Amino acid sequence: MSQNTIEKIKILTELHGAPNFEHQIRDYMKNEMKPFVDEFIDDRMGGFYGIKRSKNKNAKRVMISAHMDEIGFMITEVTENGFIKFTALGGVANDIWQGQRLKILTSNNEEVVGVVANIPKHFRSGKESAPKIEELLLDIGAESREEVLNRSIQIGDPIVPHTELLQLSQNRFASKAWDNRYGCVIALEILEQLENVELDFDLYVGANVQEEVGLRGAEVSSRLINPDVAFVVDCSPANDMKGRQGLSGVLGEGALLRIKDGTMLLKRSFKAFLKHVACDNDILYQHYISPGGTDGGVIHKSNIGVPTAVIGVCARYIHSSDAVFDIRDYEQAKQWLYAAIKALDERTIKKLQYE
């Protein structure tokens, strides 16, 4: 794994990017992509795509779609004694946040770190249950409501975990937001790999907003691009702490071939294509089924239908303050996506569309 890749992962996972507040991610990605694309297009929700143009007239359109947002929170109230209340942005469990450090992004782009209130064992009756998200309090060290407001903190400001990238072993890392800064990193690096490759089609590479709150950004970006084929790059939960549990993801066993989830079934011809590419290029992959979904659930239904596949990776403990992932899975996913893009031509695209 190159140090350049690790640096991208560190920057992207540590940036603040709650749903509807993805601007830091977008600005970084656009700056990195600029040397490798011919132009950018933007939708009106905040998603963007860089276009690598083909020399062919009336070229087909192939979309590589990540999402920029991560799970987080939004400020709903500041108490008289200086505590901050918040509500969830995305799917988060109630029972994991007490005692965690979170960071607020203010309207002037400053970050304020606090600790989620946690009742010490000394003061517990033993009858307490896990509080709801709306019952939690963020402590930033303020002594009054006025002190909080004087730090430019407002109702509606976003909050995410305050977590730095940590290397746990030779191949495994912990970070916040690997769901889905994985997709953002691979989007950047696939363009670098394809810099000197002529394609038969126009390639649209970018990222959507607000995936974590209902696949919202993908709906508008797929209308904007009207792709002929789409690849979604997203991170999924691993369920391997007690060993393999069906088709639910194992760290270190390769990229994910998502054949079914709550929003999409992988088309038969697309599955055959990806398996053929993987075999020809010695790609390590694993079949995957999820009750959740990805932006593919919206993209594949857009317009008159878009053949869509998810090339993903799995990570433990996603939608929390730390996810644990295996960098070897990322490398397999990147090689697979690169080989799949190079294998596409107009004939193959038509086959994916109508078989």
Side-chain angles (χ1 to χ4, degrees):
M1 174 55 57
S2 74
Q3 191 56 44
N4 187 259
T5 297
I6 299 300
E7 183 63 23
K8 286 190 183 75
I9 292 172
K10 179 176 175 60
I11 291 170
L12 279 165
T13 57
E14 293 180 5
L15 283 173
H16 206 297
N20 200 43
F21 300 91
E22 300 93 344
H23 51 280
Q24 289 187 356
I25 314 302
R26 180 173 59 250
D27 291 348
Y28 174 77
M29 289 186 70
K30 275 192 165 183
N31 186 64
E32 292 292 306
M33 289 168 63
K34 195 178 299 182
F36 307 105
V37 299
D38 296 300
E39 63 179 295
F40 287 103
I41 57 170
D42 302 87
D43 64 54
R44 294 174 185 172
M45 285 184 67
F48 79 96
Y49 283 79
I51 309 173
K52 178 180 170 65
R53 293 285 186 195
S54 166
K55 292 180 180 178
N56 296 339
K57 292 184 178 180
N58 302 315
K60 299 292 187 183
R61 294 176 296 278
V62 175
M63 179 183 193
I64 297 177
S65 182
H67 72 83
M68 291 176 275
D69 58 316
E70 61 189 287
I71 58 94
F73 308 96
M74 178 185 285
I75 295 175
T76 57
E77 183 182 341
V78 180
T79 69
E80 287 300 322
N81 56 344
F83 288 94
I84 293 168
K85 292 186 176 183
F86 49 87
T87 189
L89 293 175
V92 296
N94 293 342
D95 59 349
I96 61 173
W97 299 103
Q98 294 180 81
Q100 298 281 1
R101 295 182 182 181
L102 306 179
K103 60 181 179 181
I104 301 163
L105 184 65
T106 70
S107 56
N108 56 10
N109 247 12
E110 293 181 359
E111 294 183 352
V112 179
V113 177
V115 177
V116 179
N118 185 26
I119 302 172
K121 182 175 177 61
H122 313 66
F123 302 140
R124 296 188 182 192
S125 65
K127 299 179 182 179
E128 293 87 358
S129 58
K132 297 177 181 178
I133 296 297
E134 287 75 13
E135 296 171 337
L136 295 172
L137 297 170
L138 184 64
D139 186 346
I140 64 166
E143 299 181 38
S144 67
R145 184 173 187 272
E146 289 70 26
E147 187 177 342
V148 173
L149 299 180
N150 285 339
R151 297 178 73 174
S152 299
I153 293 170
Q154 303 176 14
I155 303 300
D157 284 347
I159 306 172
V160 298
H162 179 52
T163 308
E164 295 182 351
L165 179 71
L166 175 65
Q167 185 163 3
L168 301 172
S169 63
Q170 181 178 353
N171 295 307
R172 294 189 175 179
F173 294 77
S175 77
K176 76 170 182 66
W178 190 231
D179 174 18
N180 182 37
R181 305 297 153 68
Y182 147 72
C184 296
V185 175
I186 204 171
L188 298 180
E189 297 208 324
I190 202 71
L191 280 171
E192 292 179 28
Q193 282 188 286
L194 292 168
E195 180 179 13
N196 298 313
V197 177
E198 291 291 334
L199 301 172
D200 287 344
F201 46 84
D202 291 343
L203 182 64
Y204 291 72
V205 182
N208 305 315
V209 298
Q210 298 189 41
E211 191 269 358
E212 297 292 359
V213 289
L215 316 184
R216 298 174 186 176
E219 188 169 347
V220 296
S221 68
S222 56
R223 286 190 194 136
L224 175 66
I225 295 169
N226 190 17
D228 293 287
V229 169
F231 294 88
V232 172
V233 281
D234 203 348
C235 174
S236 303
N239 185 25
D240 64 347
M241 286 75 77
K242 296 181 180 179
R244 178 176 292 280
Q245 307 290 316
L247 302 182
S248 58
V250 179
L251 260 64
E253 294 202 4
L256 302 184
L257 179 62
R258 181 182 281 246
I259 57 175
K260 174 189 175 185
D261 65 27
T263 64
M264 192 183 83
L265 297 171
L266 178 61
K267 198 174 182 182
R268 178 177 59 90
S269 57
F270 218 150
K271 178 184 175 184
F273 168 74
L274 287 175
K275 292 182 74 170
H276 180 74
V277 169
C279 181
D280 283 354
N281 293 275
D282 297 319
I283 305 297
L284 181 65
Y285 70 91
Q286 52 188 309
H287 292 86
Y288 187 79
I289 292 176
S290 172
T294 73
D295 279 338
V298 169
I299 295 168
H300 87 287
K301 296 186 295 183
S302 65
N303 302 308
I304 60 170
V306 180
T308 303
V310 181
I311 293 184
V313 294
C314 62
R316 296 173 183 157
Y317 331 124
I318 68 170
H319 287 208
S320 72
S321 59
D322 268 292
V324 173
F325 61 92
D326 194 307
I327 201 68
R328 294 171 295 185
D329 297 336
Y330 170 79
E331 282 294 317
Q332 294 299 308
K334 184 170 69 170
Q335 292 176 36
W336 201 6
L337 180 59
Y338 176 74
I341 292 297
K342 287 194 67 179
L344 283 179
D345 53 26
E346 190 162 340
R347 177 177 170 275
T348 305
I349 290 171
K350 188 171 182 179
K351 184 175 181 180
L352 293 178
Q353 289 176 321
Y354 293 103
E355 291 187 13

